[in-house]
Amino acid sequence: MAADVDIREVGPRDGLQAEAPVSVDDRVRLIEKLIDAGVRHIEACSFVSPKAVPSMAGAAEVMARVPRTSGIRYAALVPNLKGAQMALEAGVDELTVTISASETYNQRNVKMPIEESVAQIEQICAAAAQIPVDAIVSCAFGSPYEEVPPRDVVTLARRLESDGATRITYADTTGMATPPLISTLAAVASSIDGLHLHDSRGTALVNAYAAVELGVRRFDTSIGGLGGSPFADGAAGNLATEGLAYLLDDAGYETGVDLGRLLEASALVAGMIGHPVASRLAAAGAP
Amino acid sequence: MAADVDIREVGPRDGLQAEAPVSVDDRVRLIEKLIDAGVRHIEACSFVSPKAVPSMAGAAEVMARVPRTSGIRYAALVPNLKGAQMALEAGVDELTVTISASETYNQRNVKMPIEESVAQIEQICAAAAQIPVDAIVSCAFGSPYEEVPPRDVVTLARRLESDGATRITYADTTGMATPPLISTLAAVASSIDGLHLHDSRGTALVNAYAAVELGVRRFDTSIGGLGGSPFADGAAGNLATEGLAYLLDDAGYETGVDLGRLLEASALVAGMIGHPVASRLAAAGAP
C-alpha cells in the first residue's frame, strides 16, 4: 500500500552524528532493523571528512553493506562536490545538502557565507544529474542569531530550485517553530513540501500535527528522537520517528511503518549509544 | 484582561505529590512565584492523610499562608467528606475530587468500586454547598486495565453532574489520549469543558493543541511538567504549564501568564525538588 506520508528516517546520519561513534556493523544493523519495521526512505550516512566528523566515518562501507531491496531509497548528506562524487560512487539514491537561511548560522555551521553555500549546491546539483538533490534550508523558522523573515527563506529556496535542487525541506534547526510560524511559511511559500523538525522546546510533535493539517506529507524523523540540539544537549533532538508514526497511525494515515517493530529499533539504538533515547513513547511503550 | 483560556496550575498538588516531601515554606513560596507569573487558578494542596501521602502534609497551613488576593482561586483535592470539611474550614475556593472511568483503575487507586466513589462525591458536593466541585474523571481516554468506551465515560460524568458536581474535567491519567480520541469524546459528550493531560507518551501538547482547536478552554497544567507517570517514572508527568502557555501565547490566546516569570517558577521548583523538570521548554528557554 502506498504511504500517505513520506517519513525519511535520519537517525543513522543526523541522529548518530551527534553521538559518540558507533561501528559500521551497528549502523548497518540499525538500518536493517529500520527496514524490518517498514521504513523505506533513510538518510544512511554523510560523506564528510572522518577527521571532522568521526561518527560518520565509513560512509562508503555503510552504503556497500545495506540491503538494496527495491523500493528502499538511501539518502546521504554531502557537504561539497567531492562528497557528492563519493556518494554517487557509493550508489546512493538521493543527496541531501544543507544551507542556512540565517547568515550567521551558516557562517558558524559551515564557515562560509550563504552565497558560497549556494554556489556549492549548484555544483552538487550539476554533478548529481540523475538522482534527486534535497536542499535542507535550516533556521527556516528562526535563528538564535538574527531575524529570518519567511520571505527571505522562500527566496533562498526558489534560488536553490532554479540552481537544480529537486526538493526543499524546511528545517527548524534550533526548535523555534510553532504552528503559526509553520502556517505563515506555508502561506509565503504557497506550500511546504517537506519539514525537518527539532524537539528542543518540546514542540516537534505539535508542529508536525499542525503541518499535517496544512497538507504537509513529507517529514524527516529520527529513531528515538536522536540528534543534537544546540540548546538541551542530549535531551532533545529530532522529531522522533516513533512519535510521528504513532500520531499518524492513530489519525488514520498510512505510513507503512509497524510501530511495534519501530520501538524495537528504538531500543536497539539506545543500546548502541549506551543511554536512553529522548522519545517518551519509547520509554512508555505503545498503549 | 480576561483570559481566553483558564489554566489551573496543579504543580503544588498533583506535581509535588509525586516528589519527595517539600516543606510548607517552599510550597507557599512556589505558589507566590506562580501568582507573580500571572497564574490565577491553583490546586494548592490536598486534604488527605499525611501518613498516606507525606508530601501533602500541612495542607491547612499552606492555605493559611498563601496570598488571598482578589481574583485568585485555590482548589484543593479531597478524597472524602472528612477531607472536604477540612478544606472548607481552611477556606479553599474550589474542591477537586477524582474518580476513574476504569473500574480496575478506581479499585487500585482508591481501593473502592466506582459506585462507592460516586456516593462519596455526592456527599462531598452536598457539603460543599457554596463552592464549586470539579470532578476529575480519570482514565477518560483509556485504561491500562480494560476498555473504557467514551459513552461510559460520559455517562459517569452526567451522573456526577446530577449528583452535584459543578464541573467535569476529563483526565488522560496514563497518557493514552490522542487527537482523534479527544475528538471522539468531545462528540459523545457534546463538548469538553476541561482537560487534564499527561505527557507519558510525549503527546500532552499535541493533545492540548487539538483540544483548543475543538474549543476546549480549560486545562490543568503543572509547572515544569511535574507529576507522576505510571509508565515513565519521573520522566513525564502532567502537561507543562510553560509548554501550554508558550503555545497559546504564540497562537494569540490570552492566558494572563508571563512566560519569562513562569520559566523562573519552573527553575525555582527544580531547585526545590533537586532534579531537572521534564519540560523541554524549561531546559531550552523561550526563543
Side-chain angles (χ1 to χ4, degrees), chain A residues 175-181 199-203 205-207 209-210 213 231-232 235-236 246-247 250-251 278-281 283-287, chain B residues 175-181 199-203 205-207 209-210 213 231-232 235-236 246-247 250-251 277-281 283-287:
Chain A
M176 295 172 79
T178 58
L181 290 177
D199 203 34
S200 323
R201 294 186 170 81
T203 51
L205 197 61
V206 71
N207 286 335
Y209 181 83
E213 286 191 322
F231 290 108
Y246 171 55
L247 192 77
D250 200 77
S279 163
R280 287 174 182 168
L281 180 64
Chain B
M176 295 172 80
T178 57
L181 291 176
D199 202 34
S200 322
R201 292 185 172 81
T203 51
L205 197 62
V206 71
N207 286 334
Y209 181 83
E213 285 192 322
F231 290 107
Y246 171 56
L247 193 77
D250 200 76
V277 296
S279 163
R280 287 175 183 169
L281 180 63

Side-chain angles (χ1 to χ4, degrees), chain A residues 14 33 40 52 54 68 100 128 141 154 199 207 245 248 259-260 264:
Chain A
D14 196 6
K33 186 75 189 171
R40 290 293 172 266
R68 301 308 302 254
S100 181
F141 303 95
V154 174
D199 203 34
N207 286 335
L248 291 174
L259 186 59
E264 290 172 16

Side-chain angles (χ1 to χ4, degrees), chain A residues 24 28 45 47 58-68 89-92:
Chain A
V24 167
V28 171
C45 54
F47 288 86
E61 200 185 339
V62 169
M63 282 309 303
R65 290 177 51 190
V66 293
R68 301 308 302 254
E89 280 162 29
V92 306

